[in-house]
């Protein structure tokens, strides 16, 4: 038999073998996770610290009522799941559902903050992967609240960020407010993150993301940057070494130095949706 034909037959055999055995390289047949006929949004998986059981959260929307409910299911192995459990309900949305919740965990506790309405945020605290919970709330009856973001600080305490209207007139602009808690149950009054509001030539700070280091916390947020009749979105960073009691002066991290050769017209580019992590020695943006 010709050598070239032998090579061709060998290649065809390898190719055919790969096709018939490819099932081993794919996930198992997907199954319905939410067990719902309603539209489901924004799934999020939360590890539970020392507990081997993880929790998955998601929103289910009732378009007729314009309301969202938040559900959970737990698993230890990713194959066997508990029955779905209702965590919060009656959250009103307009036009389309938004992300109404945020979660975090420490070694012993798991927290979930839910935007109950435009003036109230409920915080669900658990020590058993949300099989049981205790509920506390943060209220602001004068300003509109939105977009809760919940994080664990380097000292083990918790911090909740919210976007808030800067005045009673919700169209006047936004500021970032935050509240602190040692146990997830008692929260300090909301106060403005002045480090984000006092940057000259900027406005409307939003989307705060935090990563906890060994002895400090790094916060990155997005602002509207005004330059030469242009408005772009830029990222600033500040740090805290005292458990978020105070913050350093913000530093522009998407300016000219963020380009390989430097660009003075950096404000022609917008930067959005930051994500932040700490790998044990360095912060990664």
């Amino acid at each position: 038999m010709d050598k070239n034909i032998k090579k061709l037959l060998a290649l065809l055999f390898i190719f055919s073998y790969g096709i018939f055995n490819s099932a081993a390289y794919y996930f198992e047949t997907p199954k319905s996770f939410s067990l719902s006929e309603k539209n489901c949004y924004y799934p999020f998986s939360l590890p539970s610290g020392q507990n081997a059981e993880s929790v998955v959260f998601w929103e289910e929307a009732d378009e007729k009522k314009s309301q969202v409910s938040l559900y959970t299911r737990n698993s230890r192995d990713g194959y066997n799941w508990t029955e779905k459990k209702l965590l919060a309900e009656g959250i009103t949305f307009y036009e389309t559902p938004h992300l109404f919740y945020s979660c975090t965990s420490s070694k012993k506790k798991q927290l979930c903050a839910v935007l109950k309405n435009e003036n109230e945020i409920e915080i669900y605290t658990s020590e058993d992967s949300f099989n049981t919970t205790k509920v506390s709330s943060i209220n602001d009856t004068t300003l509109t609240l939105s977009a809760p973001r919940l994080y664990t600080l380097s000292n083990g305490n918790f911090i909740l960020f919210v976007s808030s209207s800067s005045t009673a007139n919700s169209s006047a602009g936004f500021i970032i407010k935050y509240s602190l808690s040692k146990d997830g149950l008692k929260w300090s009054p909301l106060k403005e993150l002045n480090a984000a509001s006092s940057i000259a030539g900027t406005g409307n700070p939003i989307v705060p993301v935090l990563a906890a280091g060994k002895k400090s916390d790094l916060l990155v947020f997005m602002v509207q940057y005004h330059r030469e009749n242009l408005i772009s979105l830029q990222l600033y960073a500040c740090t805290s070494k005292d458990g978020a009691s105070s913050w350093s002066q913000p530093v522009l991290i998407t300016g000219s130095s963020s380009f390989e050769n430097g660009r003075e017209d950096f404000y022609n580019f917008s930067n959005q949706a930051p994500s932040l992590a700490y790998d044990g020695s360095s912060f990664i943006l």
Side-chain angles (χ1 to χ4, degrees):
M1 184 180 294
D2 185 87
K3 291 183 177 180
N4 291 329
I5 294 178
K6 289 183 178 179
K7 290 181 179 179
L8 178 60
L9 290 174
L11 289 172
L12 288 173
F13 175 78
I14 294 172
F15 179 73
S16 300
Y17 181 84
I19 292 177
F20 290 113
N21 290 275
S22 61
Y25 299 96
Y26 291 89
F27 289 108
E28 65 274 11
T29 303
K31 298 178 181 178
S32 174
F33 182 83
S34 58
L35 306 176
S36 174
E37 296 181 355
K38 298 178 180 178
N39 289 329
C40 300
Y41 302 86
Y42 310 115
F44 180 81
S45 178
L46 181 72
S48 297
Q50 295 176 342
N51 190 336
E53 191 172 41
S54 295
V55 189
V56 171
F57 302 78
W58 74 93
E59 294 179 2
E60 290 189 12
D62 186 332
E63 275 79 7
K64 292 183 179 179
K65 295 181 179 180
S66 294
Q67 290 185 340
V68 159
S69 297
L70 185 63
Y71 286 89
T72 65
R73 292 185 75 183
N74 298 3
S75 177
R76 292 182 178 273
D77 57 13
Y79 293 96
N80 301 292
W81 293 89
T82 60
E83 294 296 319
K84 62 187 290 187
K85 181 179 180 181
L86 177 65
L87 184 65
E89 62 181 336
I91 307 167
T92 302
F93 67 87
Y94 302 97
E95 296 183 0
T96 58
H98 298 285
L99 183 59
F100 290 102
Y101 73 96
S102 177
C103 305
T104 191
S105 63
S106 62
K107 291 183 178 180
K108 295 182 179 180
K109 292 188 176 183
Q110 309 90 46
L111 274 67
C112 181
V114 181
L115 182 66
K116 189 65 176 178
N117 55 61
E118 63 181 17
N119 300 117
E120 181 182 9
I121 294 174
E122 289 185 339
I123 298 95
Y124 294 79
T125 302
S126 178
E127 296 184 10
D128 59 4
S129 302
F130 288 90
N131 291 301
T132 60
T133 59
K134 295 181 180 180
V135 185
S136 54
S137 63
I138 296 176
N139 298 276
D140 192 324
T141 58
T142 59
L143 302 178
T144 300
L145 306 178
S146 63
R149 286 177 174 264
L150 196 57
Y151 297 99
T152 303
L153 295 165
S154 57
N155 62 6
N157 295 343
F158 303 102
I159 185 168
L160 171 71
F161 294 100
V162 294
S163 290
S164 169
S165 55
S166 57
T167 66
N169 179 5
S170 60
S171 63
F174 290 94
I175 57 175
I176 297 174
K177 287 189 171 185
Y178 69 99
S179 174
L180 300 171
S181 176
K182 292 183 178 181
D183 58 7
L185 300 173
K186 297 180 180 179
W187 293 84
S188 64
L190 285 169
K191 67 177 181 179
E192 184 175 354
L193 181 65
N194 292 318
S197 305
S198 59
I199 307 171
T202 70
N204 293 327
I206 55 173
V207 194
V209 294
L210 182 139
K214 291 181 180 179
K215 296 183 179 181
S216 64
D217 301 286
L218 177 63
L219 178 67
V220 174
F221 53 90
M222 188 167 67
V223 299
Q224 289 183 340
Y225 187 91
H226 303 264
R227 183 79 171 268
E228 296 185 1
N229 297 321
L230 293 175
I231 298 178
S232 61
L233 297 173
Q234 303 299 333
L235 304 181
Y236 279 79
C238 59
T239 59
S240 176
K241 296 182 179 181
D242 56 9
S245 294
S246 63
W247 297 91
S248 66
Q249 283 294 112
V251 176
L252 175 64
I253 56 176
T254 52
S256 59
S257 62
S258 65
F259 290 87
E260 184 176 357
N261 298 318
R263 292 191 61 151
E264 295 302 322
D265 64 342
F266 67 88
Y267 48 85
N268 284 316
F269 302 87
S270 286
N271 300 275
Q272 304 179 52
S275 182
L276 195 59
Y278 182 71
D279 66 0
S281 59
S282 302
F283 292 100
I284 303 171
L285 176 63

